[in-house]
C-alpha cells in the first residue's frame, strides 16, 4: 500500500456490490497521488455493510431495498463474491460469538485485565459534530477512536519501533451511540507475530439516562512495525514483544489468533478487485 503524506491527493471510488432485503455491501478503493509521483497508486480498500432502518415497504409491509442485478461479467464477479462473503461472515459470527463474549466480559469485568501490559482505556464524549443524519455516531468516527486506543496498546508491545495500522476486521456495530453519551474504549494485544500484532478492542456507552454502561461494538486491528520506523539501535530489529499470558481468556484468544490471521491473509488477497 502506498503511504499517504501531507499534501497528498486521495481518490475514493465506491461501488455497490450486492443488495439483499435490508442490507447492502459497498466496495471502496482508495488511491493516493503524491506531488513527486504523477500516477496515483493503490492505498487501501474496504468492504462496508449498510443496513436499512427506514424506507420503502413491500406488499406485506416489510422494509425492502430495491434490488440491483449485475450487468456484464465484471459486475457478476462482484455480485457473486459478495454473497460468498456474506455467507462466510454469518457462519463465522455464529462460531465465534461465545468466544468473543467470554473475552469481552473478561475485559469489561475482570480486574486482572488491567494487569495486561498492553491494556489501554480511553474515554470520548459524543458531540453533535460526531453524529450523522439519524443522530447516531458516525461509523468512521468510532473507527478513528478505536484505532487510537488500539494503537496505544500495540505501541506498548513494540520494541525499537513506532507502529502503524495495517487493517481492521470483524468490526461490528451492535448498538448506536448518541449525543452526550460517554464512550469507553478498552483494548489489549491478543497476539504478537514478530513484526505485526493483533489488537482486540471493545466499546461501551454510558447514556445520561442509564444507570450503567452497555456494550456497543468491538473489533480487531492489526498493527505493524513499519520498515521506515526510526530505530536508535540499528543492530536491533524492530518487533513486538512476546506476550506473557496470565489468564485463561487471554490464552484462549492468543491460541485462536492464528486462525484469525490465516483468514485475514486469505480475505486480503480477494478483498476488492483491482479496479472499480
Amino acid at each position: 500500500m502506498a503511504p499517504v503524506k501531507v499534501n497528498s491527493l486521495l481518490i475514493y471510488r465506491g461501488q455497490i456490490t450486492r443488495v439483499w432485503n435490508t442490507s447492502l455491501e459497498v466496495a471502496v478503493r482508495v488511491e493516493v497521488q503524491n506531488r513527486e509521483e504523477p500516477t496515483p497508486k493503490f492505498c487501501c480498500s474496504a468492504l462496508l455493510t449498510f443496513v436499512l432502518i427506514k424506507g420503502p415497504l413491500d406488499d406485506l409491509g416489510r422494509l425492502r431495498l430495491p434490488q440491483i442485478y449485475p450487468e456484464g461479467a465484471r459486475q457478476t464477479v462482484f455480485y457473486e463474491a459478495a454473497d460468498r462473503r456474506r455467507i462466510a461472515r454469518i457462519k463465522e459470527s455464529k462460531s465465534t460469538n461465545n468466544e468473543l463474549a467470554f473475552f469481552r466480559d473478561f475485559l469489561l469485568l475482570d480486574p486482572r485485565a488491567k494487569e495486561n501490559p498492553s491494556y489501554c482505556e480511553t474515554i470520548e464524549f459524543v458531540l453533535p459534530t460526531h453524529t450523522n443524519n439519524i443522530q447516531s455516531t458516525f461509523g468512521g468516527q468510532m473507527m478513528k477512536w478505536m484505532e487510537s486506543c488500539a494503537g496505544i496498546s500495540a505501541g506498548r508491545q513494540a520494541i525499537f519501533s513506532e507502529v502503524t495500522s495495517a487493517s481492521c476486521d470483524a468490526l461490528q456495530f451492535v448498538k448506536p451511540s448518541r449525543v452526550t453519551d460517554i464512550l469507553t474504549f478498552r483494548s489489549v494485544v491478543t497476539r504478537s507475530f514478530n513484526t505485526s500484532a493483533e489488537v482486540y478492542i471493545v466499546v461501551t456507552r454510558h447514556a445520561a439516562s442509564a444507570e450503567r454502561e452497555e456494550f456497543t461494538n468491538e473489533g480487531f486491528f492489526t498493527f505493524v512495525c513499519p520498515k521506515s520506523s526510526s530505530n536508535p539501535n540499528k543492530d536491533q530489529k524492530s518487533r513486538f514483544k512476546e506476550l506473557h499470558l496470565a489468564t485463561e481468556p487471554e490464552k484462549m484468544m492468543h491460541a485462536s489468533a492464528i486462525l484469525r490471521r490465516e483468514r485475514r491473509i486469505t480475505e486480503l488477497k480477494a478483498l476488492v478487485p483491482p479496479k472499480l
Side-chain angles (χ1 to χ4, degrees):
M1 297 185 296
V4 179
K5 303 177 182 178
V6 175
N7 294 324
S8 292
L9 176 66
L10 293 176
I11 304 167
Y12 296 83
R13 293 185 175 91
Q15 176 179 317
I16 295 176
T17 56
R18 184 150 187 166
V19 176
W20 295 278
N21 288 334
T22 58
S23 66
L24 58 87
E25 181 189 84
V26 179
V28 178
R29 176 186 171 93
V30 184
E31 294 179 341
V32 58
Q33 184 173 0
N34 298 313
R35 283 187 171 183
E36 64 276 13
E37 299 172 348
T39 304
K41 292 184 177 181
F42 172 70
C43 175
C44 59
S45 58
L47 294 168
L48 310 174
T49 301
F50 294 86
V51 295
L52 179 68
I53 60 173
K54 183 188 296 185
L57 304 177
D58 65 4
D59 294 339
L60 300 178
R62 299 173 299 183
L63 280 173
R64 286 293 185 268
L65 282 167
Q67 291 298 304
I68 297 177
Y69 298 100
E71 296 180 1
R74 184 174 186 77
Q75 289 188 15
T76 300
V77 171
F78 281 82
Y79 187 83
E80 294 176 349
D83 206 43
R84 290 194 297 270
R85 284 190 295 268
R86 182 173 184 264
I87 292 171
R89 279 196 298 268
I90 294 173
K91 182 178 179 180
E92 182 184 359
S93 177
K94 292 179 179 179
S95 64
T96 60
N97 272 348
N98 290 338
E99 181 184 60
L100 286 179
F102 182 57
F103 193 73
R104 181 194 314 139
D105 288 343
F106 166 74
L107 209 58
L108 295 178
L109 305 174
D110 196 323
R112 294 177 298 171
K114 295 185 178 182
E115 297 174 8
N116 187 310
S118 68
Y119 178 87
C120 179
E121 182 175 324
T122 61
I123 296 175
E124 299 288 349
F125 185 68
V126 181
L127 298 172
T129 53
H130 298 142
T131 59
N132 54 28
N133 60 308
I134 57 173
Q135 286 75 56
S136 63
T137 309
F138 279 113
Q141 181 65 58
M142 290 291 289
M143 290 178 66
K144 176 183 176 182
W145 285 332
M146 293 172 75
E147 182 187 16
S148 296
C149 181
I152 295 173
S153 287
R156 288 175 175 171
Q157 287 296 114
I159 301 176
F160 302 120
S161 178
E162 300 172 342
V163 300
T164 184
S165 54
S167 67
C168 68
D169 59 283
L171 190 56
Q172 302 285 340
F173 295 95
V174 180
K175 293 184 179 180
S177 54
R178 311 288 187 186
V179 174
T180 74
D181 281 354
I182 298 172
L183 303 179
T184 303
F185 302 78
R186 299 174 177 89
S187 63
V188 292
V189 173
T190 51
R191 184 154 188 158
S192 299
F193 298 97
N194 196 16
T195 58
S196 67
E198 179 192 81
V199 181
Y200 169 80
I201 181 166
V202 59
V203 186
T204 58
R205 66 185 283 264
H206 195 158
S209 58
E211 295 184 359
R212 56 184 180 180
E213 60 184 5
E214 63 177 349
F215 165 64
T216 62
N217 59 299
E218 63 189 346
F220 289 95
F221 283 80
T222 300
F223 289 84
V224 297
C225 298
K227 293 180 180 179
S228 60
S229 180
S230 56
N231 186 341
N233 190 340
K234 300 302 180 181
D235 296 328
Q236 297 289 335
K237 185 178 180 180
S238 299
R239 59 185 176 84
F240 287 97
K241 292 181 283 187
E242 289 291 330
L243 296 174
H244 298 287
L245 309 173
T247 67
E248 284 304 315
E250 290 170 316
K251 293 176 182 178
M252 176 193 67
M253 288 295 279
H254 182 269
S256 60
I258 290 288
L259 295 177
R260 288 191 296 273
R261 183 172 186 258
E262 291 175 351
R263 173 185 52 77
R264 216 168 273 135
I265 293 173
T266 301
E267 290 180 349
L268 184 61
K269 294 177 181 178
L271 181 60
V272 176
K275 297 290 183 180
L276 293 177

PDB file of all heavy atoms in Angstrom, residues 234-249:
ATOM      1  N   LYS A 234      20.537   0.416  15.504  1.00  0.00           N
ATOM      2  CA  LYS A 234      20.460  -0.220  14.196  1.00  0.00           C
ATOM      3  C   LYS A 234      20.786  -1.711  14.248  1.00  0.00           C
ATOM      4  O   LYS A 234      20.499  -2.452  13.309  1.00  0.00           O
ATOM      5  CB  LYS A 234      21.407   0.480  13.215  1.00  0.00           C
ATOM      6  CG  LYS A 234      21.095   1.959  13.012  1.00  0.00           C
ATOM      7  CD  LYS A 234      19.669   2.168  12.502  1.00  0.00           C
ATOM      8  CE  LYS A 234      19.357   3.652  12.303  1.00  0.00           C
ATOM      9  NZ  LYS A 234      17.969   3.880  11.834  1.00  0.00           N
ATOM     10  N   ASP A 235      21.392  -2.157  15.348  1.00  0.00           N
ATOM     11  CA  ASP A 235      21.738  -3.571  15.473  1.00  0.00           C
ATOM     12  C   ASP A 235      20.556  -4.409  15.969  1.00  0.00           C
ATOM     13  O   ASP A 235      20.614  -5.634  15.961  1.00  0.00           O
ATOM     14  CB  ASP A 235      22.916  -3.756  16.438  1.00  0.00           C
ATOM     15  CG  ASP A 235      24.188  -3.091  15.903  1.00  0.00           C
ATOM     16  OD1 ASP A 235      24.334  -3.056  14.671  1.00  0.00           O
ATOM     17  OD2 ASP A 235      24.989  -2.614  16.717  1.00  0.00           O
ATOM     18  N   GLN A 236      19.513  -3.747  16.414  1.00  0.00           N
ATOM     19  CA  GLN A 236      18.334  -4.428  16.942  1.00  0.00           C
ATOM     20  C   GLN A 236      17.180  -4.300  15.949  1.00  0.00           C
ATOM     21  O   GLN A 236      16.906  -3.219  15.438  1.00  0.00           O
ATOM     22  CB  GLN A 236      17.915  -3.845  18.294  1.00  0.00           C
ATOM     23  CG  GLN A 236      18.959  -4.008  19.394  1.00  0.00           C
ATOM     24  CD  GLN A 236      19.082  -5.452  19.824  1.00  0.00           C
ATOM     25  OE1 GLN A 236      18.152  -6.233  19.688  1.00  0.00           O
ATOM     26  NE2 GLN A 236      20.243  -5.810  20.360  1.00  0.00           N
ATOM     27  N   LYS A 237      16.507  -5.407  15.693  1.00  0.00           N
ATOM     28  CA  LYS A 237      15.398  -5.414  14.750  1.00  0.00           C
ATOM     29  C   LYS A 237      14.109  -4.944  15.422  1.00  0.00           C
ATOM     30  O   LYS A 237      13.793  -5.354  16.540  1.00  0.00           O
ATOM     31  CB  LYS A 237      15.191  -6.824  14.193  1.00  0.00           C
ATOM     32  CG  LYS A 237      14.125  -6.913  13.115  1.00  0.00           C
ATOM     33  CD  LYS A 237      14.015  -8.330  12.597  1.00  0.00           C
ATOM     34  CE  LYS A 237      12.930  -8.418  11.516  1.00  0.00           C
ATOM     35  NZ  LYS A 237      12.795  -9.797  10.992  1.00  0.00           N
ATOM     36  N   SER A 238      13.381  -4.081  14.728  1.00  0.00           N
ATOM     37  CA  SER A 238      12.094  -3.624  15.253  1.00  0.00           C
ATOM     38  C   SER A 238      11.112  -4.793  15.279  1.00  0.00           C
ATOM     39  O   SER A 238      10.985  -5.523  14.286  1.00  0.00           O
ATOM     40  CB  SER A 238      11.534  -2.498  14.391  1.00  0.00           C
ATOM     41  OG  SER A 238      12.405  -1.393  14.378  1.00  0.00           O
ATOM     42  N   ARG A 239      10.415  -4.967  16.389  1.00  0.00           N
ATOM     43  CA  ARG A 239       9.486  -6.093  16.515  1.00  0.00           C
ATOM     44  C   ARG A 239       8.550  -5.843  17.687  1.00  0.00           C
ATOM     45  O   ARG A 239       8.655  -4.828  18.389  1.00  0.00           O
ATOM     46  CB  ARG A 239      10.259  -7.401  16.739  1.00  0.00           C
ATOM     47  CG  ARG A 239      11.136  -7.395  17.992  1.00  0.00           C
ATOM     48  CD  ARG A 239      11.969  -8.656  18.124  1.00  0.00           C
ATOM     49  NE  ARG A 239      12.860  -8.605  19.265  1.00  0.00           N
ATOM     50  CZ  ARG A 239      12.511  -8.921  20.510  1.00  0.00           C
ATOM     51  NH1 ARG A 239      11.275  -9.329  20.749  1.00  0.00           N
ATOM     52  NH2 ARG A 239      13.373  -8.848  21.500  1.00  0.00           N
ATOM     53  N   PHE A 240       7.628  -6.797  17.887  1.00  0.00           N
ATOM     54  CA  PHE A 240       6.725  -6.749  19.029  1.00  0.00           C
ATOM     55  C   PHE A 240       7.175  -7.757  20.085  1.00  0.00           C
ATOM     56  O   PHE A 240       7.648  -8.851  19.750  1.00  0.00           O
ATOM     57  CB  PHE A 240       5.288  -7.071  18.603  1.00  0.00           C
ATOM     58  CG  PHE A 240       4.629  -5.962  17.838  1.00  0.00           C
ATOM     59  CD1 PHE A 240       4.607  -5.972  16.451  1.00  0.00           C
ATOM     60  CD2 PHE A 240       4.036  -4.907  18.505  1.00  0.00           C
ATOM     61  CE1 PHE A 240       4.001  -4.949  15.737  1.00  0.00           C
ATOM     62  CE2 PHE A 240       3.425  -3.876  17.799  1.00  0.00           C
ATOM     63  CZ  PHE A 240       3.411  -3.902  16.411  1.00  0.00           C
ATOM     64  N   LYS A 241       7.023  -7.379  21.333  1.00  0.00           N
ATOM     65  CA  LYS A 241       7.410  -8.261  22.434  1.00  0.00           C
ATOM     66  C   LYS A 241       6.469  -9.462  22.535  1.00  0.00           C
ATOM     67  O   LYS A 241       5.294  -9.374  22.177  1.00  0.00           O
ATOM     68  CB  LYS A 241       7.376  -7.487  23.763  1.00  0.00           C
ATOM     69  CG  LYS A 241       8.431  -6.415  23.892  1.00  0.00           C
ATOM     70  CD  LYS A 241       8.358  -5.720  25.220  1.00  0.00           C
ATOM     71  CE  LYS A 241       7.205  -4.729  25.266  1.00  0.00           C
ATOM     72  NZ  LYS A 241       7.215  -3.905  26.496  1.00  0.00           N
ATOM     73  N   GLU A 242       7.005 -10.553  23.039  1.00  0.00           N
ATOM     74  CA  GLU A 242       6.185 -11.724  23.304  1.00  0.00           C
ATOM     75  C   GLU A 242       5.239 -11.426  24.467  1.00  0.00           C
ATOM     76  O   GLU A 242       5.581 -10.690  25.401  1.00  0.00           O
ATOM     77  CB  GLU A 242       7.064 -12.925  23.656  1.00  0.00           C
ATOM     78  CG  GLU A 242       7.850 -13.491  22.482  1.00  0.00           C
ATOM     79  CD  GLU A 242       6.947 -14.154  21.462  1.00  0.00           C
ATOM     80  OE1 GLU A 242       5.887 -14.674  21.865  1.00  0.00           O
ATOM     81  OE2 GLU A 242       7.296 -14.144  20.266  1.00  0.00           O
ATOM     82  N   LEU A 243       4.050 -11.994  24.413  1.00  0.00           N
ATOM     83  CA  LEU A 243       3.066 -11.796  25.473  1.00  0.00           C
ATOM     84  C   LEU A 243       3.269 -12.814  26.590  1.00  0.00           C
ATOM     85  O   LEU A 243       3.594 -13.973  26.340  1.00  0.00           O
ATOM     86  CB  LEU A 243       1.650 -11.939  24.914  1.00  0.00           C
ATOM     87  CG  LEU A 243       1.214 -10.914  23.872  1.00  0.00           C
ATOM     88  CD1 LEU A 243      -0.145 -11.293  23.313  1.00  0.00           C
ATOM     89  CD2 LEU A 243       1.171  -9.518  24.461  1.00  0.00           C
ATOM     90  N   HIS A 244       3.080 -12.366  27.809  1.00  0.00           N
ATOM     91  CA  HIS A 244       3.096 -13.260  28.961  1.00  0.00           C
ATOM     92  C   HIS A 244       1.653 -13.401  29.446  1.00  0.00           C
ATOM     93  O   HIS A 244       1.082 -12.487  30.039  1.00  0.00           O
ATOM     94  CB  HIS A 244       3.998 -12.697  30.068  1.00  0.00           C
ATOM     95  CG  HIS A 244       5.436 -12.554  29.644  1.00  0.00           C
ATOM     96  ND1 HIS A 244       6.273 -13.628  29.479  1.00  0.00           N
ATOM     97  CD2 HIS A 244       6.157 -11.449  29.310  1.00  0.00           C
ATOM     98  CE1 HIS A 244       7.474 -13.207  29.091  1.00  0.00           C
ATOM     99  NE2 HIS A 244       7.423 -11.889  28.975  1.00  0.00           N
ATOM    100  N   LEU A 245       1.055 -14.535  29.149  1.00  0.00           N
ATOM    101  CA  LEU A 245      -0.367 -14.747  29.384  1.00  0.00           C
ATOM    102  C   LEU A 245      -0.610 -15.295  30.785  1.00  0.00           C
ATOM    103  O   LEU A 245      -0.052 -16.317  31.170  1.00  0.00           O
ATOM    104  CB  LEU A 245      -0.924 -15.708  28.335  1.00  0.00           C
ATOM    105  CG  LEU A 245      -0.596 -15.315  26.880  1.00  0.00           C
ATOM    106  CD1 LEU A 245      -1.026 -16.401  25.931  1.00  0.00           C
ATOM    107  CD2 LEU A 245      -1.245 -13.985  26.531  1.00  0.00           C
ATOM    108  N   ALA A 246      -1.476 -14.592  31.520  1.00  0.00           N
ATOM    109  CA  ALA A 246      -1.694 -14.970  32.917  1.00  0.00           C
ATOM    110  C   ALA A 246      -3.066 -15.578  33.167  1.00  0.00           C
ATOM    111  O   ALA A 246      -3.280 -16.209  34.198  1.00  0.00           O
ATOM    112  CB  ALA A 246      -1.508 -13.740  33.812  1.00  0.00           C
ATOM    113  N   THR A 247      -4.008 -15.402  32.241  1.00  0.00           N
ATOM    114  CA  THR A 247      -5.378 -15.864  32.479  1.00  0.00           C
ATOM    115  C   THR A 247      -5.859 -16.755  31.345  1.00  0.00           C
ATOM    116  O   THR A 247      -5.327 -16.710  30.233  1.00  0.00           O
ATOM    117  CB  THR A 247      -6.340 -14.667  32.616  1.00  0.00           C
ATOM    118  OG1 THR A 247      -6.431 -13.994  31.349  1.00  0.00           O
ATOM    119  CG2 THR A 247      -5.853 -13.682  33.679  1.00  0.00           C
ATOM    120  N   GLU A 248      -6.883 -17.531  31.611  1.00  0.00           N
ATOM    121  CA  GLU A 248      -7.444 -18.423  30.596  1.00  0.00           C
ATOM    122  C   GLU A 248      -8.054 -17.661  29.413  1.00  0.00           C
ATOM    123  O   GLU A 248      -7.878 -18.061  28.261  1.00  0.00           O
ATOM    124  CB  GLU A 248      -8.486 -19.351  31.223  1.00  0.00           C
ATOM    125  CG  GLU A 248      -7.895 -20.475  32.039  1.00  0.00           C
ATOM    126  CD  GLU A 248      -6.907 -21.314  31.239  1.00  0.00           C
ATOM    127  OE1 GLU A 248      -7.228 -21.662  30.071  1.00  0.00           O
ATOM    128  OE2 GLU A 248      -5.822 -21.609  31.751  1.00  0.00           O
ATOM    129  N   PRO A 249      -8.797 -16.562  29.643  1.00  0.00           N
ATOM    130  CA  PRO A 249      -9.329 -15.814  28.496  1.00  0.00           C
ATOM    131  C   PRO A 249      -8.224 -15.304  27.570  1.00  0.00           C
ATOM    132  O   PRO A 249      -8.372 -15.342  26.343  1.00  0.00           O
ATOM    133  CB  PRO A 249     -10.089 -14.655  29.147  1.00  0.00           C
ATOM    134  CG  PRO A 249     -10.473 -15.170  30.494  1.00  0.00           C
ATOM    135  CD  PRO A 249      -9.333 -16.034  30.921  1.00  0.00           C
TER     136      PRO A 249
END
